[in-house]
Amino acid sequence: MNTDNCNYSVVDKLYKYRYPQDVLTVLTSKIEPRVLEVDVRKSCYEVLAEDIYSPVNRPWADLSHVDGYAVIADDLKGASSHNPIKLKIVKNIDPRNAHLYTLKPGETVFVETGYPLPKNSNAVIPVESVRVTGDHMYVYHEIKENTNIITMASDFKKGELVVKKGTLVTPGLQKILIDLGIKRVKVYEKPRVALIAVGSEIVDEVVAPTTRKIPNSSSYLVKNVLEYYGAIVVEDLIVCDDQIEIINLVEKLVNKDIDLILTIGGVSLGPKDFTWSSLYNHFKPEIYFRGLRIHPGRSTSGMVINDKIIVNLPGLPQSTIAALIFIVIPLMNYYRGLGAKIRLPYITLRNKEDVKIKRFYGFYRLRYVIIEQDKKQGKILSSIESYNISQLIRCQGFTIIYPNVHEIKRNVEIKVYFLPPLFEYPIYDVIP
């Protein structure tokens, strides 16, 4: 899908549904993720914007793998319980600087775990495997060369590719980078997001919903999901169902240092649903979309203004979540250098019951799943209302039914996806 395909005449609010992957291609066509350089100690959970090569050998020398005695393996040929070999212990050698000493035949030096060996030594015997008497050590078995030695560059060689561009810096990877002496790394800058809840009845209060007051709970959900996926929410606002107010607010935001503007609500076909139509008619964007081939969430719409992506999320909670999965999270991944893809963990289970899909055949359909771990099967909730929120605690994941699939038979394998932090992976005791 190219930009020209988005240029259709809009005289009303009717949807012109498009596949989410096509919309993502258009939205990201003229936008590049930004790169900055950071101290490696502050790089955890950032995404690398460069390939990283090891500047050093690791380890930098042959190191002892145990607390023990460095030896020359040939000195111990023929050693046995009946024929112990006696070696002279060289005293007054710093075990952490034993590499400064050159070991002679018939000698041994004590070394510590993780420190270099004396020159000429090629094996280490653990302290618990020998008998020490005075200035001598007795060994009761032969030993092979390189026994209990961490050989130089066995972990990483100088110049070796450590990790590729587009990799998330986990705590483990951060440790590796620090241990290799890499002080600064290039990472993708986290997207700056503005969040706008639309509705004259929306209040930032904890109240039971009525026609006069609806709590702004969806903004909290969206904000927490965004931050989990690396966004920085710089604005969190509420605006009335008023065309002028919506336009003025968005006009201010598109001129700020913001990458993505998300609106929640006012995007359907009702008489007070002004969000998409007012923005489209005022800004007349070249790049836009009106409706997605997803269910729930088909009213999801958006546009690009001043190189800022605007996504208009539906207000009903299940539709909001679906739009997050199909559009917003892929955009988070794009800004962070991971590509505009939907990447989620999943497990494969057997479908518990026959499921017939009666509507939206040409759409991607998101359906929640109750997982029965003991039976390794999942029950698809085939008929849900977009208003409902109970699935968020009654279900453990969801599945995606692809376009033109009308039925899912019992015992057919299905993929059950998880959306951290809303749905976490199944947890099992490591040690029962």
Side-chain angles (χ1 to χ4, degrees):
M1 177 181 173
N2 57 40
T3 303
D4 292 334
N5 290 337
C6 286
N7 293 334
Y8 52 83
S9 175
V10 176
V11 295
D12 52 30
K13 300 176 182 178
L14 295 181
Y15 306 120
K16 292 181 168 33
Y17 298 117
R18 298 184 179 276
Y19 287 112
Q21 59 269 41
D22 294 337
V23 167
L24 287 167
T25 298
V26 170
L27 291 179
T28 58
S29 61
K30 295 183 179 180
I31 296 168
E32 288 296 328
R34 296 193 300 269
V35 174
L36 69 159
E37 190 174 78
V38 299
D39 186 315
V40 70
R41 293 169 294 182
K42 298 180 180 179
S43 68
C44 201
Y45 302 119
E46 305 287 356
V47 177
L48 291 172
E50 60 179 338
D51 294 340
I52 301 292
Y53 296 86
S54 178
V56 295
N57 289 323
R58 188 178 191 277
W60 69 95
D62 289 345
L63 307 181
S64 177
H65 199 249
V66 296
D67 292 328
Y69 291 90
V71 299
I72 300 170
D74 284 348
D75 284 348
L76 302 179
K77 285 185 177 179
S80 69
S81 58
H82 302 292
N83 181 41
I85 299 293
K86 182 173 72 172
L87 299 177
K88 180 183 178 182
I89 300 174
V90 181
K91 299 292 185 68
N92 300 320
I93 300 294
D94 181 353
R96 296 190 174 186
N97 287 291
H99 61 288
L100 301 177
Y101 182 78
T102 301
L103 200 65
K104 301 178 183 63
E107 290 183 339
T108 185
V109 167
F110 182 80
V111 292
E112 290 189 38
T113 302
Y115 286 89
L117 306 176
K119 298 179 181 67
N120 290 342
S121 62
N122 55 16
V124 180
I125 305 176
V127 291
E128 60 268 28
S129 299
V130 302
R131 179 168 65 88
V132 175
T133 302
D135 293 339
H136 292 88
M137 177 184 75
Y138 292 86
V139 184
Y140 296 88
H141 57 84
E142 293 185 350
I143 191 168
K144 292 183 179 180
E145 192 173 325
N146 289 326
T147 298
N148 293 320
I149 290 179
I150 308 168
T151 57
M152 183 178 72
S154 58
D155 206 12
F156 290 102
K157 293 181 175 65
K158 184 177 181 179
E160 177 184 350
L161 177 66
V162 176
V163 64
K164 290 185 176 181
K165 173 182 177 179
T167 301
L168 180 71
V169 180
T170 61
L173 177 54
Q174 184 187 43
K175 173 179 170 54
I176 288 172
L177 299 175
I178 292 171
D179 284 347
L180 293 175
I182 297 169
K183 298 181 185 298
R184 299 184 68 81
V185 291
K186 291 180 180 178
V187 299
Y188 290 100
E189 190 171 351
K190 291 180 177 179
R192 296 168 58 83
V193 181
L195 191 58
I196 307 170
V198 181
S200 301
E201 72 284 10
I202 302 296
V203 293
D204 191 15
E205 300 175 25
V206 180
V207 294
T210 66
T211 55
R212 297 181 62 186
K213 283 188 177 184
I214 294 178
N216 192 23
S217 58
S218 289
S219 285
Y220 285 93
L221 182 148
V222 172
K223 180 180 179 180
N224 289 325
V225 170
L226 290 174
E227 290 177 343
Y228 182 92
Y229 287 94
I232 300 172
V233 178
V234 295
E235 300 278 2
D236 189 358
L237 308 165
I238 297 174
V239 67
C240 294
D241 290 311
D242 182 277
Q243 297 185 61
I244 301 302
E245 287 192 27
I246 293 170
I247 290 169
N248 288 343
L249 179 56
V250 171
E251 198 156 38
K252 290 178 182 177
L253 293 175
V254 296
N255 291 306
K256 288 187 174 183
D257 183 19
I258 291 172
D259 300 297
L260 176 65
I261 299 170
L262 299 180
T263 66
I264 306 173
V267 74
S268 296
L269 302 178
K272 291 187 178 181
D273 289 328
F274 298 129
T275 306
W276 185 82
S277 57
S278 61
L279 294 177
Y280 176 82
N281 289 319
H282 177 77
F283 290 103
K284 297 180 172 50
E286 293 182 4
I287 299 175
Y288 61 88
F289 66 101
R290 176 63 172 146
L292 289 179
R293 288 189 176 275
I294 64 173
H295 183 265
R298 60 195 177 96
S299 62
T300 305
S301 304
M303 60 197 71
V304 177
I305 303 172
N306 289 1
D307 292 333
K308 310 291 174 68
I309 295 176
I310 299 175
V311 178
N312 309 123
L313 306 176
L316 290 179
Q318 299 307 328
S319 298
T320 304
I321 292 169
L324 285 175
I325 291 168
F326 283 99
I327 290 292
V328 178
I329 292 174
L331 286 174
M332 294 297 98
N333 289 337
Y334 176 79
Y335 280 113
R336 299 185 69 202
L338 298 171
K341 301 289 185 182
I342 307 169
R343 292 185 173 93
L344 294 175
Y346 69 89
I347 59 174
T348 302
L349 297 174
R350 288 181 293 105
N351 182 36
K352 184 177 181 179
E353 302 172 352
D354 289 343
V355 176
K356 291 186 178 180
I357 311 300
K358 298 180 180 179
R359 301 177 65 199
F360 302 107
Y361 294 140
F363 286 49
Y364 289 92
R365 288 144 295 175
L366 185 153
R367 297 294 182 265
Y368 291 92
V369 177
I370 297 173
I371 297 175
E372 296 182 7
Q373 294 182 13
D374 55 337
K375 297 180 181 178
K376 297 183 179 179
Q377 61 183 10
K379 179 181 178 181
I380 299 174
L381 301 186
S382 57
S383 178
I384 62 169
E385 298 297 332
S386 294
Y387 173 83
N388 292 355
I389 57 175
S390 57
Q391 298 90 290
L392 294 175
I393 58 172
R394 292 177 181 168
C395 299
Q396 294 77 45
F398 62 89
T399 192
I400 302 294
I401 301 171
Y402 279 68
N404 303 316
V405 174
H406 296 188
E407 185 177 10
I408 302 176
K409 292 286 190 179
R410 180 175 176 271
N411 286 329
V412 167
E413 285 192 343
I414 59 172
K415 289 181 178 178
V416 180
Y417 297 93
F418 307 98
L419 179 69
L422 289 182
F423 296 104
E424 293 290 354
Y425 315 92
I427 298 174
Y428 302 92
D429 291 334
V430 176
I431 301 176

